[in-house]
Amino acid sequence: MKYIESFTLASDDAEVGFILSFNHKMTMQCYSDNVYPFKIFPQKRLRKLDFSQITILYGGNGSGKSTLMNIVAQKLGLERSAPFNNTPFFEDYLNFCDYELVFGKKPPRGSKIITSDNVFDYLLNIRALNEGVDDRREKLFDEYTETNKPLHYHLKSLADYEELKRINEAKHKTKSAYVSRRLPENINGKSNGESAFAYFTQEIKENALYFLDEPENSLSVKLQIELIKFIEDSARFFGCQFFISTHSPFLLSVKEARIYDLDSVPVRTRQWTELENVRMYHDFFEKHRDEF
């Protein structure tokens, strides 16, 4: 399923006209040359993106992958929870952009952009929750040890009943049984990479448009390959369309993806096996072929 057909960036004339106008926002910036995201894509001679069911932005650091993805996401009004480099000129730039959807005026409900910051925040939340569980575990260990010391406890009122039950339980159960009954389980015992992969599978639902900004971060090669299969199946069987930025040679191998090479001028589509990053991996392993 496709939801977005094409996206048109600001023209050279529109950018020049805006910059020469010296509007009030530029005055507040003391005529700074930093008018991000203006003055990026004319240099790359990129004006229009045509989308496939899976479209990929490839390029090195500073190539504009994330900037371009944020421009399209903001213009479409996609759901997002992580901040991005939103300058005083971002909305002005969006006014010069346009897009064509396959049907309707908006992407389907649930469409969103997922960035590395989203995944990182998710991992931090899991860590914080698990640290809280670990702290509680240590307190329960101390509580068990203290309770099993010789003491005389007399039931004075109904308010003491629960405490007396706890003391009796501690005296008749092992430490592990006592603690496990009172302790919530850790959110998971997974590694950061496994948790990151789980985040994608939780967030991506059926029949929606998803932007994934460098999803390979935190993922091992094995998990990247699993993510490829998940993306391909979601596109083929569950009505999803994907727009992905990456320089991972593994994610670039997604079947039937349209890949834009942002390192080339002008920007153009390429096969994944033609891309510099992929060729470097290829040449490296060819050099060490005899060692395998």
Side-chain angles (χ1 to χ4, degrees):
M1 179 70 72
K2 283 175 60 177
Y3 302 102
I4 180 170
E5 189 71 51
S6 64
F7 191 91
T8 306
L9 296 164
S11 67
D12 293 2
D13 290 343
E15 289 211 17
V16 170
F18 175 80
I19 292 169
L20 291 179
S21 69
F22 289 102
N23 66 17
H24 69 284
K25 289 183 181 178
M26 296 187 73
T27 301
M28 288 190 295
Q29 294 286 312
C30 299
Y31 303 103
S32 169
D33 288 335
N34 182 15
V35 286
Y36 178 89
F38 287 89
K39 299 171 66 175
I40 295 176
F41 299 107
Q43 300 174 37
K44 295 178 175 290
R45 289 191 276 170
L46 175 62
R47 181 73 200 288
K48 185 180 180 182
L49 293 170
D50 292 309
F51 287 82
S52 181
Q53 194 163 0
I54 301 175
T55 305
I56 297 178
L57 298 177
Y58 161 83
N61 295 332
S63 63
K65 300 190 305 298
S66 296
T67 296
L68 183 52
M69 181 163 283
N70 283 324
I71 287 170
V72 182
Q74 285 301 105
K75 184 69 177 181
L76 292 176
L78 295 191
E79 175 187 333
R80 71 157 69 234
S81 56
F84 68 103
N85 189 12
N86 190 357
T87 71
F89 306 106
F90 213 94
E91 290 300 321
D92 293 303
Y93 186 87
L94 295 183
N95 290 333
F96 294 114
C97 298
D98 201 4
Y99 59 86
E100 179 185 359
L101 298 182
V102 176
F103 53 85
K105 296 182 179 180
K106 293 182 178 180
R109 186 175 181 179
S111 298
K112 65 179 66 175
I113 177 171
I114 301 174
T115 70
S116 297
D117 286 340
N118 292 124
V119 178
F120 187 62
D121 287 346
Y122 175 73
L123 297 179
L124 287 179
N125 287 338
I126 289 177
R127 185 178 301 172
L129 290 171
N130 284 342
E131 286 176 354
V133 171
D134 292 340
D135 289 343
R136 174 63 176 155
R137 181 184 293 109
E138 292 301 320
K139 291 178 181 178
L140 286 170
F141 283 154
D142 292 342
E143 180 182 291
Y144 178 88
T145 301
E146 187 66 28
T147 301
N148 273 279
K149 291 179 179 178
L151 56 81
H152 301 284
Y153 191 87
H154 300 286
L155 183 64
K156 298 178 181 177
S157 68
L158 289 176
D160 296 327
Y161 182 67
E162 289 300 323
E163 177 65 9
L164 183 60
K165 281 175 57 180
R166 184 190 68 77
I167 293 172
N168 287 332
E169 183 180 359
K171 290 183 177 298
H172 291 88
K173 287 190 174 182
T174 64
K175 180 186 289 187
S176 61
Y178 176 82
V179 171
S180 61
R181 187 174 182 276
R182 287 166 169 73
L183 191 68
E185 293 184 2
N186 284 55
I187 299 303
N188 61 51
K190 299 176 181 176
S191 68
N192 282 349
E194 291 169 325
S195 296
F197 179 79
Y199 178 79
F200 286 111
T201 60
Q202 292 168 18
E203 290 295 309
I204 295 173
K205 311 295 184 183
E206 297 181 14
N207 304 314
L209 172 63
Y210 293 99
F211 287 23
L212 309 181
D213 190 11
E214 298 190 354
E216 68 269 19
N217 292 343
S218 299
L219 298 182
S220 66
V221 172
K222 180 180 178 181
L223 288 175
Q224 288 184 52
I225 292 172
E226 287 190 33
L227 182 61
I228 290 170
K229 182 69 165 55
F230 178 75
I231 289 171
E232 290 174 343
D233 287 348
S234 296
R236 183 178 180 185
F237 301 113
F238 300 107
C240 294
Q241 184 180 13
F242 291 93
F243 187 33
I244 304 168
S245 74
T246 185
H247 42 69
S248 164
F250 306 100
L251 285 171
L252 289 165
S253 71
V254 170
K255 294 177 182 177
E256 300 180 2
R258 174 174 290 156
I259 303 173
Y260 285 91
D261 181 5
L262 268 64
D263 283 343
S264 67
V265 179
V267 171
R268 63 190 183 94
T269 59
R270 290 182 186 265
Q271 296 298 314
W272 75 281
T273 52
E274 300 175 314
L275 299 168
E276 181 184 33
N277 203 36
V278 176
R279 297 301 305 179
M280 290 180 70
Y281 273 83
H282 173 272
D283 293 345
F284 177 83
F285 288 115
E286 278 294 321
K287 181 179 177 181
H288 296 275
R289 173 183 287 270
D290 293 341
E291 299 175 38
F292 283 87

